[in-house]
Amino acid sequence: MRSSIILLALGALAFGIYLGVHHASRRHADVMTSPALAAAPELSLTDLNGAALHTASYKDKVVLVNFWAAWCKPCAEEVPQFIALQKKYQDQGLRVIGFSVEDDAAELRDFYRKYQVNYPVVPSDLKIADAFGGVLGLPTTFVIGRDGRIHGKHNGATNFASLEREVVALLRTPQS
């Protein structure tokens, strides 16, 4: 009897912790899309090809920052769609940056070549993701406006029709 009560209490405690974490993560996502927009971090990094990448040089551009991994199936499925968006809107000021999280360097290079990725990919870790406010899982995509502020965050597999509407709206915003 006593062990049943202890098990019931532990189950209730675990469920309470789950609800608290789930609620906190939902609140975090809501903050990222609220009118009080966070400034995107300014970072100086090196991409997969050894080129310097300075996020400050993307001023007056609309930027999609995608945290992903080559070993992550939903992430890999999104890459061709990011390639298509980059190609379609680059002349209007769209830039895509991929932050590959904890990929094996050789596998990442093979993936990059196989898909003919047309945007910079930066080998990274979760410390870089923390600079953007953190990610709860992969893939996660941040939408940054010409004003250098984070206008949206997509956790998990992205709805590209919705993302494209966001991009087009931000591209129509005048440059500062």
Side-chain angles (χ1 to χ4, degrees), residues 52-74:
L53 184 138
H54 306 285
T55 58
S57 68
Y58 289 80
K59 184 176 176 2
D60 294 327
K61 305 290 183 199
V62 173
V63 182
L64 296 177
V65 172
N66 178 243
F67 286 91
W68 67 288
W71 48 263
C72 163
K73 185 174 179 169

Side-chain angles (χ1 to χ4, degrees), residues 6 59 101 140 166-167 171:
I6 291 172
K59 184 176 176 2
V101 179
T140 297
E166 287 179 65
V167 166
L171 287 170

Side-chain angles (χ1 to χ4, degrees), residues 34-35 58 83 86 99 102 109 124 129-131 135 138 148 150 165-166 168:
S34 73
Y58 289 80
I83 291 169
Q86 173 70 26
F99 285 95
E102 299 176 358
R109 286 185 199 290
S124 67
D130 288 343
V135 298
L138 299 176
I150 299 171
R165 285 190 298 273
E166 287 179 65
V168 168

